Amino acid sequence: MLNTTPLNALHRAAGAKMVDFGGWEMPVNYGSQIEEHHAVRRDAGMFDVSHMLAIDLRGDGARRFLSYALANNVDKLAAPGKALYSCLLRPDGGVLDDLIAYFIREDAFRLVVNAGTADKDVEWVESLSRERAPRLVLVPRRDLAMIAVQGPRARERVWSALPQTREATEALKPFVAVQIGDYFLARTGYTGEDGFEVTLPATRAAELWDALAGAGVRRCGLGARDTLRLEAGMNLYGQDMDESVDPLESGLAWTVDLSGARDFVGKAALLSKPRLRTLVGLILVDKGGVLRGHQRVQTARGDGVVTSGTFSPTLGASIALARVPAGVAPGENVHVAIRGKLLAARVVKPPFVRNGKILVEP
Amino acid sequence: MNVPSELKYTESHEWIRTEPDGNLTVGITDHAQQALGDLVFIELPAMGRTLQAGEACAVVESVKAASDIYAPVAGVVVAANDEIAAAPEKVNADPYGSWLFKLKPSDPAAPEKLLDAPAYAKVAGDD
């Protein structure tokens, strides 16, 4: 029996093709995935991301606890509402999950974690907090729904659907959130475009979804979400990193704060391990197929593997993230094994696309 | 689901039209293009290639996945639709107007054993 979100019936009514995504029945598209992709790059699209889990941490010492639990440093969160992207690591440096941490008050933080890892995350954070901060209370918020509205016109369309949120969010900076009545609006996303991720009571989700559709926001499925995030050079947990790799070999060094005396789970392991691999972007140069996960990458320094690959609707070419031997650098040519042939690809530095603009040479 | 009655079909979702000269035109069904999603790459068999019945001879790739196309009957490839290889999205827009390749069957009677429209509709419905 699959889990369903509060918007399940609306997806079906809109003709969505539903798939099993990590135990959740989710819309993969409502027709053309490529048209949904373009809608987000050119105007506005919305995604039901209610399968993701918000976990509230309440009580004194929340900041001190997260400073130890997360690889990125929550001390960077000075103003209420500020968000931080971070990995949750195992003691050996393996990535348990990637998440966004929101600083709400000194005694209230929120973590938003992936659907497929949510149970494991709650268990891990609970056991860690029993040990380090026994008075901290963890509240998994399955009573909430989440709708991501993304695209150059996403914010104005949200304001048209929720006029009462406009004043408080017009000046909201990227990676900052604010609670307005029932709505927790964060200027965050997973597409490389501007927009909001709206967290709200599950009971009100259908009403907002309909209002956004009425305001001209296109319904988009997980298919477009994947091509958009890959163009934006954003990792997908379970594909581009997992427990078997550390963030430094997953293109996530920028999210790990190794400075100063702060200790955190996984720090000692990260400092002691040699960095043998690196995550890079690839653009397929030869014709002959589409880059996909698990394809072998041949480089001058040895073999690597594609971790995520797809056809990029914005570039009109196949792109990928690949884990290759350290030292393989942007501009180099490599070969990818596709159906028994070795096809030429070029190494690039992600992102491929941001805010509607192509950032790599085709 | 659109299943034209004048065509023959395979369980692997190819459609086949017998031309007046006896050659077979092969494409993928409406059900197949819907299941695959937006097509972005097509690889066609070379002209003159001899195929066994059921042999994987072409590839279609959507944004989501790659899928093999199989020879519906044994024969020789007599044409490949390069125009469709250059514009795979046409298969999504018009699956029965977008052929992939043409085959000269080694046994002219072989196409008769393929699925007819009602039989294929049942296969696709159970999919």
Side-chain angles (χ1 to χ4, degrees), chain A residues 308-320:
Chain A
S308 287
T310 193
F311 176 82
S312 156
T314 307
L315 275 75
S318 185
I319 61 169

Side-chain angles (χ1 to χ4, degrees), chain B residues 4 14 17 22 30 32-34 38 41 46 49 61-62 65 75 97-98 100 109 117 122 124:
Chain B
E14 290 87 10
R17 186 173 62 228
D30 185 36
Q33 71 79 18
Q34 269 184 38
D38 295 308
F41 174 76
R49 180 171 159 193
E61 292 206 44
S62 69
S98 306
L100 299 183
K122 190 171 183 311

Side-chain angles (χ1 to χ4, degrees), chain A residues 99 120 256 301 316 355:
Chain A
L99 54 79
K120 176 182 81 172
V256 180
R301 294 168 185 267
N355 297 316

Side-chain angles (χ1 to χ4, degrees), chain A residues 194-279:
Chain A
D194 199 355
F196 290 127
E197 291 181 299
V198 186
T199 305
L200 74 169
T203 50
R204 307 211 58 180
E207 180 193 332
L208 177 59
W209 187 262
D210 282 341
L212 288 166
V217 181
R218 186 169 180 137
R219 297 171 187 86
C220 298
L222 294 182
R225 189 167 162 83
D226 192 53
T227 51
L228 287 159
R229 70 91 192 168
L230 192 45
E231 285 186 351
M234 294 171 174
N235 289 17
L236 173 61
Y237 188 82
Q239 286 191 14
D240 305 307
M241 76 289 202
D242 57 28
E243 292 188 29
S244 72
V245 293
D246 71 45
L248 305 181
E249 51 194 12
S250 306
L252 297 175
W254 63 278
T255 73
V256 180
D257 186 355
L258 291 165
S259 68
R262 178 183 71 110
D263 190 24
F264 61 87
V265 178
K267 184 178 188 182
L270 294 184
L271 288 174
S272 68
K273 271 198 292 189
R275 293 174 201 177
L276 301 176
R277 297 177 293 179
T278 182
L279 199 75

Side-chain angles (χ1 to χ4, degrees), chain B residues 33-60:
Chain B
Q33 71 79 18
Q34 269 184 38
L36 285 162
D38 295 308
L39 293 188
V40 294
F41 174 76
I42 297 178
E43 186 173 280
L44 297 171
M47 294 268 280
R49 180 171 159 193
T50 302
L51 301 172
Q52 299 305 308
E55 182 178 344
C57 62
V59 177
V60 295

